[in-house]
Amino acid sequence: MAGIGKTAPEFEDLLPVMAEKLGGEGLMRELSNGFKMLMDKDKGVITVESLKRNAAMLGLQDLRHDELVSMVKEGDTDGDGALNEMEFCVLMFRLSPGLMEESQLLLEEILEDDLNSSAFY
């Protein structure tokens, strides 16, 4: 009875830890490496098919086809049915609540500093 009682896999959000250890440039380099690992080498984008072929590297070999389609759709902002490198990176950030929270705090801090340094005469 495959699939009965199965729950969605839980993932530990490691992006904040990676960002802290690698810095911004290092994190982007690692995301770029991840993109290249998952992409269709001929098309230069991540397709549902390339994700399915490479899913085992991420421990996602048990995901159904419709779940893989949903993953690609989630990040496909230009509607071409695939993820380019920018869409992949944005998706990884969006799927990382910890990193999004840190990014929001950093943005607020930068904006506050800019406002405080701007003199209104």
Side-chain angles (χ1 to χ4, degrees), residues 4-120:
I4 294 181
K6 271 186 121 175
T7 59
E10 289 188 30
F11 299 100
E12 185 178 352
D13 184 7
L14 297 176
L15 281 182
V17 174
M18 289 175 64
E20 188 175 318
K21 290 186 185 246
L22 301 172
E25 286 184 32
L27 176 62
M28 292 309 294
R29 194 169 35 255
E30 286 303 309
L31 287 175
S32 180
N33 289 339
F35 172 80
K36 289 173 184 161
M37 186 172 63
L38 296 172
M39 76 176 189
D40 180 302
K41 306 301 184 226
D42 295 327
K43 297 178 181 175
V45 293
I46 296 174
T47 63
V48 173
E49 293 76 23
S50 70
L51 189 56
K52 186 173 190 165
R53 262 193 317 273
N54 299 305
M57 288 188 277
L58 301 174
L60 303 175
Q61 64 273 9
D62 294 333
L63 289 180
R64 298 183 320 261
H65 181 77
D66 62 312
E67 293 171 316
L68 296 171
V69 169
S70 292
M71 289 176 75
V72 171
K73 268 187 167 177
E74 175 86 20
D76 180 20
T77 58
D78 62 10
D80 66 354
L83 300 177
N84 61 39
E85 191 168 355
M86 181 60 73
E87 289 171 325
F88 174 76
C89 290
V90 168
L91 179 62
M92 292 300 98
F93 273 82
R94 282 185 32 223
L95 294 176
S96 173
L99 200 55
M100 286 301 291
E101 185 176 307
E102 287 179 29
S103 298
Q104 178 69 29
L105 293 173
L106 181 61
L107 178 61
E108 288 172 5
E109 186 178 305
I110 291 168
L111 290 173
E112 188 175 314
D113 287 348
D114 282 351
L115 285 173
N116 289 337
S117 65
S118 298
F120 294 100

